[in-house]
Amino acid sequence: MTIDHDAAMGPAAADLAAIEQEWPLIAADLDLLDAEIAMLYAADDGGPTALDWRRLRRAESRVTRAAAEVAARPAHVCNLIEVRLTTDCRYGCKILACRVCGGEQVSHRAVYGCPAGQNATPRVA
Ligand SMILES: [Zn+2]
Ligand SMILES: [Zn+2]
């Protein structure tokens, strides 16, 4: 059971996890910005050279690759916290929300006498 441990993480930790997930894309975006700024300076300085154009195209294709890479990654491990009781069942089961992606899921628990929980988690002897 990792929920208690995860609940100790502050919001800052969740932000960091989100940034880590997106980082290749953020870094590629920053490089593209650099290349675009270099193009602007080059325009003042006799026009961008073939090298400037190449740098820009490379930065653009890096952003495309990074976006695909980030999208193709396995989903992060959700950092779930209990947010409220579910209205789906009458056993006091909880709705958990992920602090990274904002996704919500219902946690039916057999300990509350919930049949859905008994089906979901077979008893361990
Ligand atoms: Zn999540
Ligand atoms: Zn339930």
Side-chain angles (χ1 to χ4, degrees):
M1 190 41 93
T2 57
I3 287 171
D4 288 342
H5 167 73
D6 289 348
M9 283 171 70
D15 285 351
L16 281 179
I19 290 169
E20 202 172 305
Q21 173 82 0
E22 298 270 316
W23 182 249
L25 186 53
I26 294 167
D29 272 335
L30 289 175
D31 274 3
L32 178 57
L33 192 65
D34 267 357
E36 282 169 348
I37 290 167
M39 291 293 280
L40 291 180
Y41 279 117
D44 284 344
D45 196 22
T49 63
L51 196 71
D52 291 324
W53 279 110
R54 228 178 22 241
R55 189 182 170 205
L56 182 67
R57 299 235 174 75
R58 225 176 24 233
E60 282 171 347
S61 67
R62 203 181 147 205
V63 169
T64 309
R65 273 203 314 276
E69 185 192 319
V70 167
R73 278 186 184 191
H76 63 281
V77 177
C78 283
N79 180 5
L80 297 169
I81 49 166
E82 294 178 0
V83 283
R84 62 184 178 275
L85 296 180
T86 179
T87 52
D88 285 357
C89 78
R90 57 195 170 81
Y91 298 96
C93 295
K94 308 277 198 314
I95 291 180
L96 307 178
C98 171
R99 288 191 289 190
V100 180
C101 66
E104 292 190 348
Q105 65 187 59
V106 183
S107 165
H108 292 289
R109 297 280 299 277
V111 284
Y112 303 132
C114 177
Q118 255 139 24
N119 293 338
T121 35
R123 279 183 75 94
V124 178

